[in-house]
């Protein structure tokens, strides 16, 4: 940077008439002190002394001299070769240092944000792992439910089959009960008939025996 400034100064000395093609804001090149004079020559009165890096406004240029205006409003003449459109190295260094400090602050802030983002990324990864584990658990439960549903379907079919079998057995039991009741009724009728027959037979036998006795008794008389 300093080499560039000295190169500009050298060009000012070599090409003083081409330095200031336009009016505007310029800076005093590195030098201890420079006089601002009331006219274009070293024999004119010194109006002010400016230091290195002083900002001046160039009003017009006349040969090797430039008419300038200071910040306090004073106007005078100064050799053009001592003016440069570039800021003085000291200001540039300060500006660069300020920019460096700003960049350091931005870097520190960026690093802080990066650390936070890394923490958030870790949290997201942990949450992702948890979600994957939950998904795996849900998938296993779903597969188990599918298996259970198949088993339930099989059990339901068996249950319905058993219900049909129970209904069939109930019908058979009802029929057997009816048949058993009918058999009991038939048996009772048979016993009743048998008993009646025995009574009738006994009555007939008694009757016949009674008649025979009567006849024998009559014959004896």
């Amino acid at each position: 940077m300093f080499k560039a400034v000295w190169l500009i100064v050298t060009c000012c000395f070599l090409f003083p008439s081409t330095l200031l093609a336009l009016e505007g804001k310029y800076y005093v090149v590195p030098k201890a002190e420079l006089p601002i004079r009331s006219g274009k020559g070293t024999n004119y009165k010194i109006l002010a002394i400016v230091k290195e890096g002083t900002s001046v406004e160039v009003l017009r240029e006349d040969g090797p001299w430039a008419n300038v205006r200071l910040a306090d409003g004073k106007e005078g003449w100064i050799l053009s070769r001592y003016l440069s459109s570039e800021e003085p190295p000291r200001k540039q260094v300060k500006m660069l240092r300020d920019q460096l400090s700003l960049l350091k602050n931005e870097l520190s802030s960026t690093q802080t944000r990066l650390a936070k983002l890394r923490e958030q990324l870790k949290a997201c990864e942990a949450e992702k792992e948890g979600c994957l584990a939950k998904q795996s658990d849900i998938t296993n439960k779903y597969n188990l439910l599918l298996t259970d549903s198949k088993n339930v379907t099989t059990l339901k079919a068996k249950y319905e089959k058993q219900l049909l079998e129970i209904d069939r057995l109930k019908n058979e039991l009802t029929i057997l009960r009816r048949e058993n009741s009918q058999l009991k009724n038939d048996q009772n009728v048979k016993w009743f008939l048998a008993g009646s027959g025995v009574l009738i037979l006994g009555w007939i036998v008694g009757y016949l025996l009674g008649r025979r006795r009567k006849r024998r008794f009559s014959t004896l008389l």
Side-chain angles (χ1 to χ4, degrees), residues 150-164:
K150 292 179 181 178
N151 294 334
V152 168
T153 303
T154 303
L155 292 174
K156 183 178 180 181
K158 290 182 179 179
Y159 175 72
E160 290 177 352
K161 186 177 180 180
Q162 289 177 353
L163 287 178
L164 293 176

Side-chain angles (χ1 to χ4, degrees), residues 6 17 19-20 34 59-60 63 71 73 89 93 98 100 106 127 131 150 161 170-171 174 180 183 191 196 203 214 221:
W6 285 114
S17 61
L19 174 64
L20 301 176
L34 290 174
L59 302 176
R60 64 182 181 277
V93 170
D98 292 340
L100 180 60
E106 291 181 354
E127 185 177 357
C131 291
K150 292 179 181 178
K161 186 177 180 180
K170 285 182 178 180
N171 293 331
T174 301
N180 188 31
L183 288 174
W191 281 108
S196 299
W203 182 79
K214 286 180 179 180
L221 291 177

Side-chain angles (χ1 to χ4, degrees), residues 125-155:
E125 289 178 348
E127 185 177 357
K128 176 184 176 182
E129 293 296 328
C131 291
L132 290 176
K134 288 182 180 179
Q135 181 183 5
S136 178
D137 184 57
I138 291 172
T139 301
N140 293 334
K141 289 181 179 179
Y142 175 73
N143 293 331
L144 182 61
L145 286 174
L146 287 178
T147 304
D148 291 342
S149 64
K150 292 179 181 178
N151 294 334
V152 168
T153 303
T154 303
L155 292 174

Side-chain angles (χ1 to χ4, degrees), residues 102-138:
L102 180 62
L103 290 174
K104 285 182 178 179
N105 292 334
E106 291 181 354
L107 178 61
S108 177
S109 177
T110 301
Q111 289 176 343
T112 302
R113 290 198 301 269
L114 181 60
K116 291 182 179 180
L117 290 174
R118 285 176 177 172
E119 292 296 328
Q120 292 178 359
L121 179 61
K122 289 181 180 180
C124 290
E125 289 178 348
E127 185 177 357
K128 176 184 176 182
E129 293 296 328
C131 291
L132 290 176
K134 288 182 180 179
Q135 181 183 5
S136 178
D137 184 57
I138 291 172

Side-chain angles (χ1 to χ4, degrees), residues 2-22:
F2 287 102
K3 290 180 179 180
V5 173
W6 285 114
L7 180 60
I8 293 173
V9 174
T10 303
C11 292
C12 293
F13 279 104
L14 293 176
F15 308 100
S17 61
T18 60
L19 174 64
L20 301 176
L22 298 174

